[in-house]
Amino acid sequence: RLASTIAAARTHLEAYSFHLAVEEIYDFVWHDFCDWYLEIVKVRLAESPEDGVKGVLYYCLREIAKLLHPFVPFVTEEIWQVLGEEPASVSIAAFPEAGRADEAAEALMRSFREIVVGVRSIRSELDVPASAKLTALVKTKDKALQTLLREKEQALSALSGVSSWTVAADLGAPDGSARQVLSCAELFVPLADWIDIDAERAKLRADLAATEADLAKVEATLANERFLARAPEDVVEKERGKQDEFRHKRDRLEANL
């Protein structure tokens, strides 16, 4: 991801699209590095802090300082001085060069994140107690993903609050399970021991009916030619955003039912 980010940032800067360069760097630093990588490596740091992960963290922070320096020079200069890097100032350090991006590794990590988010969504939407130590089943024929999930089971558990994982190509949903259909797999989380299944289904049906009503209103608005002709573009885009949001919510509710 760092290599891809550097390549994209360079492309945007060369085209004088500074706002796009900032968005690309921000997305990597905040979401990939802080939200995910730091949380994942906490497990490795606790178990074997000398296995090389500190070097990767240091390297990423150094390259992030150089990437961000044109936009937040005082902050990045302070970080550079703490790192004790050469040259004496980040302002005269060469801008990062993109290395080889590993697209297969990026795709696997997207799948890893999608599975964690799937469990979190089930917890949130079905009001599963935060203290509940769940079990989860992942059905996927992707051998590389199966291997990754087994190798990173501790990180998966730490990020999702799941105590036990089963990963295989041929799995069925246990009774009373919530289900998420992901782009990379099917996810099943048994919940019979944690929630009142019948009550939750009733809540989901009510929520689904309300969501479908909201979606119908937005779609009727967007089907109105007079509205499209007269409304400002930002208002039309706002309605389209609502349409996408309601569609995604409807799909999630239907999957859980």
Side-chain angles (χ1 to χ4, degrees):
R1 279 293 292 127
L2 177 60
S4 299
T5 299
I6 292 170
R10 278 185 163 275
T11 298
H12 293 317
L13 289 172
E14 288 166 5
Y16 299 99
S17 299
F18 302 118
H19 64 297
L20 295 178
V22 171
E23 287 177 7
E24 193 75 36
I25 298 167
Y26 172 87
D27 186 63
F28 170 76
V29 174
W30 188 250
H31 297 296
D32 293 301
F33 186 70
C34 296
D35 273 359
W36 288 97
Y37 184 67
L38 289 179
E39 294 302 316
I40 290 170
V41 299
K42 282 180 182 177
V43 176
R44 287 177 61 187
L45 286 170
E47 292 182 346
S48 51
E50 304 306 325
D51 72 350
V53 68
K54 287 183 179 179
V56 176
L57 284 168
Y58 185 91
Y59 174 80
C60 287
L61 184 57
R62 185 187 70 192
E63 298 305 289
I64 285 169
K66 291 190 284 187
L67 278 170
L68 284 172
H69 186 67
F71 310 104
V72 281
F74 297 109
V75 173
T76 49
E77 185 63 42
E78 183 67 23
I79 292 171
W80 194 260
Q81 296 307 314
V82 171
L83 292 176
E85 273 287 338
E86 294 291 339
S89 170
V90 67
S91 63
I92 55 174
F95 197 76
E97 295 283 348
R100 182 183 64 84
D102 189 336
E103 294 181 2
E106 288 190 46
L108 281 174
M109 281 310 301
R110 281 194 296 271
S111 297
F112 178 98
R113 289 163 61 163
E114 190 177 3
I115 289 165
V116 172
V117 170
V119 175
R120 290 175 176 176
S121 296
I122 288 170
R123 279 185 176 276
S124 173
E125 292 171 7
L126 299 179
D127 295 324
V128 179
S131 59
K133 291 300 181 182
L134 305 174
T135 60
L137 298 86
V138 179
K139 179 180 178 181
T140 177
K141 294 181 180 179
D142 187 330
K143 297 290 188 182
L145 180 57
Q146 289 180 15
T147 300
L148 175 71
L149 296 178
R150 291 182 183 122
E151 289 177 350
K152 302 300 180 185
E153 183 171 338
Q154 283 186 295
L156 270 175
S157 296
L159 290 165
S160 62
V162 170
S163 61
S164 173
W165 292 84
T166 301
V167 182
D170 187 16
L171 288 172
D175 291 339
S177 292
R179 174 174 174 259
Q180 289 253 336
V181 179
L182 310 175
S183 65
C184 57
E186 282 187 82
L187 173 66
F188 308 113
V189 181
L191 296 175
D193 293 337
W194 299 104
I195 63 173
D196 184 331
I197 300 295
D198 291 335
E200 286 300 327
R201 280 181 179 148
K203 284 172 58 178
L204 287 171
R205 289 190 184 99
D207 200 2
L208 178 59
T211 300
E212 287 177 333
D214 290 335
L215 178 59
K217 289 178 185 177
V218 172
E219 289 179 336
T221 300
L222 290 171
N224 187 327
E225 295 296 336
R226 293 181 63 188
F227 169 78
L228 295 176
R230 296 182 178 183
E233 184 60 30
D234 61 323
V235 174
V236 175
E237 285 303 312
K238 185 177 180 180
E239 291 301 306
R240 286 177 177 149
K242 287 182 183 178
Q243 182 184 42
D244 289 339
E245 179 184 339
F246 289 138
R247 282 177 174 171
H248 289 314
K249 184 176 180 181
R250 177 199 61 193
D251 293 344
R252 291 198 309 271
L253 291 169
E254 287 177 344
N256 283 328
L257 276 170

